[in-house]
Amino acid sequence: MAGVRTAAVAEPVGDVTALLGEGPYWVAEDDCLLWVDILRGQLHRTYFPSGETITLTLENASAAFPAVGGGILTVGGRKLKLHLPAERGEEWVTRVVAEVPARERLRFNDAGIDPAGRVWVGSMHLDETDPVAALYRLDAGSVLTRVLDDVTISNGMAWSPQGTRMYYADSPLRRLDVFDYEPATGEVSNRRPFLDLSSLKGVPDGLTVDADGCVWIAFFGGAALARITPGASVDAVLDLPVSQPTSCAFGGPGMTDLYVTTASTGLTDQELAAQPLAGRLLRLHPGPVGLPSTTTYATLPV
């Protein structure tokens, strides 16, 4: 198992400061990182090595993925939408792929793509108090199948290198859960606690899996990332120069870069002065490398 450089320095990428940065996703073919600012409804595309960021302002966005056949799939509000660039100019063509009925104080939050390209999306309660949200899978006929109920803040989801485990966090529970996963069908079963995270500062937010099968979790309010082994132990904790990291994803040449999205919302003027990188996209070189399957394109079933 690759060792972790716990003293890895987090460097800012580009010049965008988000209110609530989220959902980093590496697109290897374009040397591009997709990420969003949830509170501004913005989709960012940051290109490397320049760090140039192109921003598309949408009605809402909480996650984004490249789609098989072209375009970008976004998750936001209560809808999944496919955005296709027009042949000329800056206009994009958008169509709704799937949606769920409107429910008061609920919206989609985090999402994930399994190694076969299946789309998973979770919702959250805006007051962050009541377990009335859910986890969905996009199935044939553009149907969002409700897989899990009684969720409060549906957050990070990722798959083991073999695709037989699905990791998942409902943030207020302050633990990492795991399902048995059937790669051929996308069926989940046997949800169980994987690791109690209540001893770590902050709440578990977005996550990813590396090539060793370890889970990396951003701790919102905890100013840190934690690496969890497949045997359910904390392998390393990396301190960050911001208190509100939101998610993380590997990318770059050889999948050696670890990108971290962060938030500036809710911080006082004094806290913002002490955290000049709050809301920025950060990059670290922690040692372990990412899984190619974490850059899978979203497959939109017919």
Side-chain angles (χ1 to χ4, degrees), residues 14-293:
D15 57 4
V16 173
T17 297
L19 288 175
L20 183 53
E22 258 289 5
Y25 203 82
W26 180 250
V27 186
E29 288 79 1
D30 297 330
D31 290 328
C32 171
L33 189 83
L34 302 179
W35 59 294
V36 301
D37 185 341
I38 295 178
L39 295 184
R40 291 191 175 112
Q42 292 178 328
L43 166 64
H44 298 304
R45 290 170 288 157
T46 298
Y47 290 90
F48 295 85
S50 68
E52 176 190 9
T53 298
I54 298 175
T55 298
L56 182 65
T57 299
L58 306 170
E59 181 181 5
N60 42 52
S62 57
F65 309 98
V68 173
I72 298 173
L73 178 72
T74 61
V75 174
R78 59 187 181 88
K79 297 178 181 179
L80 275 62
K81 296 180 179 179
L82 180 64
H83 307 273
L84 295 167
E87 292 184 5
R88 297 180 179 85
E90 299 300 321
E91 295 297 323
W92 287 64
V93 177
T94 298
R95 70 175 176 88
V96 175
V97 173
E99 61 185 296
V100 294
R103 293 183 62 191
E104 187 176 2
R105 308 301 295 164
L106 288 179
R107 68 159 171 82
F108 282 147
N109 192 43
D110 210 350
I113 306 296
D114 83 355
R118 295 184 191 89
V119 179
W120 287 77
V121 57
S123 58
M124 68 170 283
H125 182 236
L126 290 179
D127 299 321
E128 303 184 0
T129 55
D130 298 334
V132 292
L135 178 66
Y136 301 86
R137 182 185 60 232
L138 181 63
D139 287 334
S142 296
V143 173
L144 283 165
T145 300
R146 196 177 180 106
V147 176
L148 183 66
D149 290 308
D150 304 324
V151 172
T152 302
I153 305 177
S154 190
N155 245 315
M157 57 197 80
W159 288 262
S160 64
Q162 298 77 24
T164 55
R165 285 181 174 181
M166 177 178 171
Y167 297 102
Y168 176 72
D170 182 352
S171 292
L173 299 180
R174 299 194 67 190
R175 73 177 190 232
L176 179 63
D177 286 354
V178 65
F179 294 87
D180 292 333
Y181 198 77
E182 176 48 62
T185 63
E187 294 297 324
V188 295
S189 60
N190 191 26
R191 180 187 181 184
R192 57 203 181 274
F194 186 69
L195 183 63
D196 184 345
L197 302 171
S198 59
S199 63
L200 299 177
K201 184 180 178 182
V203 296
D205 204 323
L207 54 87
T208 191
V209 173
D210 67 24
D212 292 321
C214 293
V215 183
W216 293 75
I217 308 176
F219 281 82
F220 190 91
L225 300 174
R227 188 192 195 213
I228 313 299
T229 70
S233 64
V234 178
D235 175 60
V237 176
L238 279 69
D239 294 328
L240 296 172
V242 295
S243 60
Q244 298 181 154
T246 58
S247 191
C248 52
F250 284 95
M255 299 290 282
T256 59
D257 297 338
L258 183 61
Y259 296 100
V260 181
T261 47
T262 71
S264 60
T265 185
L267 298 178
T268 66
D269 290 343
Q270 184 177 6
E271 289 169 329
L272 288 170
Q275 302 176 45
L277 298 183
R280 300 288 294 277
L281 175 66
L282 305 179
R283 176 172 54 193
L284 298 88
H285 300 283
V289 301
L291 278 171
S293 64

